[in-house]
Amino acid sequence: MMIRDLIGQIIAQAVASLRESGGLPDVELPPIEVMRPQIAEHGDYATSIAMKLAAAAKAAGVKANPRAIAESIATQIRETVEVVPAYNLVESVEVAGPGFINLRLKPSWLLAQAATVVAAGASFGTVTVGNGKRINLEFVSANPTGPVTVGNGRGAFIGDTLGSLMRAAGFEVTKEYYFNDFGAQIDKLGGSMEYYLRLALGESDAPKPEEGYFGPYYATLARQTIEFFGNDGRALLDLPAEERPSQIGKAFAALIMGDIRQTMASLNIEFDVFFNQASLDTSGELQEGIEQLRAAGYTEERDGALWAKTTLFGDDKDRVIMRSNGEPTYFASDVAYMRNKFNRGFDRLIIVLGPDHHGYITRLKAVAQMLGHTADDMHVLLYQVVTVKGMRMGKRLGNIITLDDVEEEVGADVTRFFYLMRSGDTPLDFDLDLARKQTDENPGLSVQYAHARTAGIFRKARELGVTPDQYENADLTVLANDPPGELSYELALMRQVLRLEEVVERAALTLEPHHMTRYGMDLADAFHLFYDHCPMLKQGADVPLAVRNARLRLLQAAQAGLARTLALLGMSAPERMERAEPDNAPA
RNA sequence: GUGCCCGUAGCUCAGUGGAUAGAGCGCUGGCCUGCGGAGCCAGAGAUCGGAGGUUCGAGUCCUCUCGGGCACGCCA
């Protein structure tokens, strides 16, 4: 059980027994919230239940003093933790301010948790709130008409990391990419690629389509194709004119989709399912979806077209589902796809979308409801725009910056960290100059460096003949006798490590992965401070053997916490940092 | 015009209705010969865009307002 929940249980038990004995106003009990005080002096956890109770009593016309209520609850908590052995982690219970009850944990208990953390290892930080609920998490879903941009990248990292966090929080998550490789967009791609293929073959007078996809990316793609296939590249161009756009488009969509998958893979973004929109048509689900809405009475014929009455569910206008020419619209695919997801048994669908899609939210929620689910079963997670500061000009393709460009500049790990540092609700200004820095100023590297440092110390320990069996069962309570200065760093580190499970839970429930990067920085800071102030192996320093062993044990817990944090962020946990010269940017 | 997001330190941003609003970068001063190095310690810096309201308590919730961003197809 999470420590915070255990504290909540203790408080709840104390409140319950106090109510039984008539020691509290007889009003409905407000929910007991356990929070973390902002100020360390206020303890590890706090609750405002006394003030809430007093307010409820006042509303019911019963006289109540919040501080007095807090005092009696606090007294009851002290008794409770005294008699229940499992509650033997509370050091003190104090009433403060207008009626807060502050609880402080025993330093010896906190330190002893190192063993729990190390034992949990790679599964440390796993919580159960998700309760096995099945989640479909769709993100990126960019059509294969061009490279992945820095904008798409944000959805990619948010989605991928959220998936990891939700899994750690006990949800069953399927990560999905939806794409379309046929239709008007792809034909347009075909037209553009025909033009670039001809240019690559030396036809300088090739006609340029009025509309299409243009830029160095496509020119390069055409050149590479010609280089690779030689004159066989001509085969596509010899097709009948009416087949060329779709055939060439389909061929290049496949190539581009390969590029996209490669970009994703090299940035450690993983999908469980790549869902092709075309399959909805061939399977008949497109028609079935339309039929289901029609049967449910949610459609209407107007001007020769078939409309879905989304306005019944708050949309500002109805949406065409089948054009007057009998062609289903893209919206029809949305319906069929969502229906497909629900039919696969997901409890909740989450779609990560860019800022240009916010108009889709009510529409998609309307579809969910027309399919017999609630608006909440279909959640749209929007993120804001991405700008990049400090990109070197010259090497990039035209005026767009791709995700590959960014990765090339700063590497996959730092790219991920920087993308996840900000809440999705605010615009992201990617600071490449900071991301390039190979020092501790770079917050992403700082977390990895912390992990590398732990590994380095264990390497050093081995060199000095200190083997794991010497510290693996070390008793950390000896640290409680350390000088206050050093103990405070040890406790701060342990507290940060233990906070991981709360961060995982919060990030998963709020769908906000950025809490994890913030936490990573806090954890790394706590570790670096510990490292700076609490020598473990320093030669000649006056560190008793028992203290050394206890610190190495604590170090193991810190390493486990850092490794897990990095894993959840999709970053590598290096055993050592490569030293790069400032002029020598990493690959 | 309608709708959504944002406005917090010089910059980029955290902040779960709670107590004295935080971090990173930047800035100022002091210190540092060895666990591994890119440092350590201390400090300055904020009328949380503005005005009302709800609440015992508001950066957080509601209304209005100012400023910035984005979106509003029988496109996909």
Side-chain angles (χ1 to χ4, degrees):
Chain A
M1 180 189 281
M2 279 175 57
I3 300 167
R4 192 201 57 210
D5 294 344
L6 185 58
I7 295 295
Q9 191 177 304
I10 293 171
I11 297 167
Q13 194 165 316
V15 168
S17 61
L18 204 52
R19 274 166 76 85
E20 258 173 54
S21 61
L24 289 176
D26 189 20
V27 293
E28 198 187 335
L29 189 66
I32 296 175
E33 282 167 25
V34 182
M35 65 192 104
R36 284 179 168 273
Q38 286 182 0
I39 297 157
E41 286 72 49
H42 291 155
D44 290 290
Y45 292 96
T47 181
S48 58
I49 186 63
M51 288 178 285
K52 293 274 190 334
L53 252 176
K58 192 183 155 198
V62 183
K63 231 172 103 182
N65 177 321
R67 275 203 69 114
I69 293 174
E71 287 294 356
S72 40
I73 295 175
T75 304
Q76 184 63 47
I77 294 175
R78 287 188 200 106
E79 275 176 36
T80 306
V81 300
E82 202 62 37
V83 295
V84 184
Y87 295 166
N88 187 29
L89 72 165
V90 178
E91 168 93 343
S92 66
V93 186
E94 279 156 20
V95 175
F100 291 101
I101 301 169
N102 293 331
L103 293 94
R104 186 181 303 276
L105 302 182
K106 287 186 172 163
S108 57
W109 184 86
L110 279 167
L111 293 166
Q113 296 315 298
T116 315
V117 173
V118 175
S123 68
F124 172 63
T126 301
V127 294
T128 55
V129 274
N131 214 8
K133 201 171 170 185
R134 296 192 62 200
I135 306 293
N136 182 282
L137 183 56
E138 181 198 336
F139 52 100
V140 187
S141 292
N143 282 336
T145 54
V148 183
T149 64
V150 289
N152 302 134
R154 195 164 192 192
F157 295 122
I158 288 175
D160 186 60
T161 308
L162 186 56
S164 303
L165 289 166
M166 291 186 81
R167 279 173 186 162
F171 291 93
E172 192 183 309
V173 182
T174 297
K175 296 190 286 181
E176 194 148 322
Y177 188 122
Y178 178 65
F179 70 100
N180 175 21
D181 61 359
F182 83 116
Q185 258 186 19
I186 300 302
D187 293 356
K188 203 152 75 173
L189 174 69
S192 297
M193 290 314 300
E194 175 177 355
Y195 164 70
Y196 282 116
L197 282 173
R198 291 189 188 283
L199 286 187
L201 287 163
E203 297 179 29
S204 55
D205 58 345
K208 184 175 180 178
E210 284 179 19
E211 270 186 65
Y213 299 93
F214 305 108
Y217 173 81
Y218 302 97
T220 304
L221 192 59
R223 258 197 317 276
Q224 286 171 346
T225 304
I226 296 300
E227 278 166 23
F228 190 79
F229 290 104
N231 272 335
D232 291 348
R234 284 219 64 96
L236 285 168
L237 298 174
D238 292 337
L239 287 167
E242 65 273 17
E243 286 181 28
R244 284 203 298 258
S246 64
Q247 290 299 319
I248 297 176
K250 193 157 179 90
F252 278 95
L255 280 178
I256 293 171
M257 199 65 212
D259 273 1
I260 291 173
R261 284 183 183 235
Q262 204 175 325
T263 299
M264 295 296 154
S266 87
L267 285 161
N268 201 20
I269 298 157
E270 292 173 353
F271 292 94
D272 302 303
V273 175
F274 281 88
F275 196 102
N276 190 335
Q277 186 187 320
S279 69
L280 292 169
D281 193 20
T282 52
S283 70
E285 289 171 278
L286 197 56
Q287 283 306 319
E288 289 168 16
I290 294 171
E291 278 314 312
Q292 183 170 338
L293 294 201
R294 198 203 302 268
Y298 290 130
T299 61
E300 181 173 274
E301 281 199 40
R302 207 187 305 156
D303 308 326
L306 189 67
W307 299 68
K309 296 196 276 187
T310 53
T311 47
L312 291 174
F313 301 97
D315 202 0
D316 54 349
K317 60 186 81 161
D318 288 336
R319 305 289 164 180
V320 173
I321 191 165
M322 185 120 68
R323 298 190 188 92
S324 46
N325 65 8
E327 287 278 311
T329 60
Y330 187 86
F331 182 71
S333 299
D334 282 345
V335 172
Y337 182 39
M338 199 183 300
R339 180 172 169 275
N340 173 287
K341 283 180 181 169
F342 279 127
N343 285 348
R344 274 185 277 158
F346 293 107
D347 298 307
R348 194 168 193 225
L349 314 181
I350 298 173
I351 306 185
V352 183
L353 291 175
D356 49 336
H357 286 81
H358 85 258
Y360 289 44
I361 298 176
T362 46
R363 193 179 317 177
L364 291 170
K365 282 179 174 291
V367 173
Q369 291 170 87
M370 290 189 292
L371 292 172
H373 298 82
T374 68
D376 192 55
D377 291 340
M378 167 71 249
H379 186 85
V380 177
L381 187 60
L382 277 193
Y383 60 86
Q384 297 300 310
V385 292
V386 180
T387 51
V388 177
K389 187 167 66 186
M391 176 59 82
R392 295 169 186 148
M393 305 303 266
K395 64 198 291 189
R396 51 189 240 217
L397 304 169
N399 52 3
I400 58 162
I401 303 176
T402 67
L403 199 49
D404 288 340
D405 292 336
V406 175
E407 186 191 352
E408 203 177 307
E409 289 281 328
V410 302
D413 289 333
V414 171
T415 301
R416 287 191 70 109
F417 195 89
F418 271 63
Y419 260 99
L420 293 167
M421 275 200 299
R422 305 284 177 249
S423 156
D425 281 340
T426 62
L428 171 67
D429 191 15
F430 197 110
D431 187 347
L432 270 176
D433 294 324
L434 181 61
R436 268 191 217 102
K437 287 192 180 167
Q438 291 291 301
T439 71
D440 225 15
E441 293 161 53
N442 183 326
L445 281 189
S446 177
V447 182
Q448 290 186 301
Y449 183 48
H451 183 272
R453 237 178 191 174
T454 61
I457 293 166
F458 287 123
R459 272 198 302 278
K460 182 77 177 178
R462 214 161 293 127
E463 283 170 25
L464 295 172
V466 182
T467 50
D469 58 287
Q470 294 177 50
Y471 52 82
E472 267 178 351
N473 294 308
D475 172 19
L476 277 90
T477 55
V478 301
L479 296 180
N481 300 319
D482 279 358
E486 294 179 12
L487 178 60
S488 68
Y489 291 113
E490 291 159 342
L491 284 174
L493 175 58
M494 202 57 233
R495 284 189 167 102
Q496 282 296 344
V497 171
L498 293 174
R499 193 163 69 93
L500 175 64
E501 51 188 15
E502 283 172 37
V503 177
V504 167
E505 182 184 283
R506 182 180 176 196
L509 291 179
T510 59
L511 311 180
E512 292 172 338
H514 72 276
H515 295 303
M516 204 61 207
T517 46
R518 290 274 157 184
Y519 168 74
M521 290 163 77
D522 289 343
L523 178 58
D525 281 353
F527 168 74
H528 288 303
L529 284 170
F530 163 73
Y531 172 88
D532 288 330
H533 295 93
C534 304
M536 282 156 274
L537 303 170
K538 214 168 191 170
Q539 305 247 332
D542 186 19
V543 181
L545 202 61
V547 170
R548 181 202 72 183
N549 289 341
R551 284 181 177 168
L552 286 172
R553 184 69 169 150
L554 175 57
L555 189 69
Q556 282 188 305
Q559 185 175 52
L562 286 161
R564 178 67 157 148
T565 299
L566 288 165
L568 287 168
L569 287 169
M571 297 166 67
S572 65
E575 292 288 310
R576 41 164 54 87
M577 296 299 273
E578 301 299 326
R579 186 166 196 188
E581 295 306 318
D583 293 338
N584 208 0

